[in-house]
Amino acid sequence: MSLTTKLVAVAIFWAGSIYATYELTRTKWHDLGRANGEVAGQDMVLKSLCKIAQPGEATTNVLWSYDIKATRVELTRDSLFCR
């Protein structure tokens, strides 16, 4: 094999490894960005619910509760609570 052929093979391998690294990194950061956006959106929804909910914890049976970050919303048969 000549030197030119070896250099071309090394260049193709190098370019392929750079592209594979780029694709893997791009996919990872895209997924992390989507997850962060979903958490931020859910946090905004819970903060909006907290504006109409009663402060404190539910004292009766909780039908539904949801936590995100430091906010928890609980729904009982009678009221909506936020803490």
Side-chain angles (χ1 to χ4, degrees), residues 48-56 73-74 79-83:
S48 296
L49 282 174
C50 282
K51 290 179 183 176
I52 61 171
Q54 298 177 15
V73 172
E74 298 174 324
S79 298
L80 184 65
F81 294 92
C82 181
R83 62 178 163 124

Side-chain angles (χ1 to χ4, degrees), residues 63-81:
L63 300 174
W64 175 84
S65 70
Y66 194 72
D67 301 290
I68 194 81
K69 294 188 178 180
T71 307
R72 169 178 238 165
V73 172
E74 298 174 324
L75 178 67
T76 63
R77 186 168 253 183
D78 302 320
S79 298
L80 184 65
F81 294 92

Side-chain angles (χ1 to χ4, degrees), residues 11-80:
I12 290 172
F13 177 76
W14 177 72
S17 67
I18 287 175
Y19 179 74
T21 302
Y22 165 76
E23 276 297 311
L24 182 65
T25 304
R26 185 181 68 84
T27 303
K28 178 178 77 172
W29 282 104
H30 176 75
D31 293 344
L32 285 171
R34 285 191 59 191
N36 188 32
E38 289 172 8
V39 169
Q42 292 169 354
D43 185 47
M44 286 174 35
V45 169
L46 287 188
K47 285 182 179 176
S48 296
L49 282 174
C50 282
K51 290 179 183 176
I52 61 171
Q54 298 177 15
E57 295 184 29
T59 55
T60 59
N61 292 342
V62 176
L63 300 174
W64 175 84
S65 70
Y66 194 72
D67 301 290
I68 194 81
K69 294 188 178 180
T71 307
R72 169 178 238 165
V73 172
E74 298 174 324
L75 178 67
T76 63
R77 186 168 253 183
D78 302 320
S79 298
L80 184 65

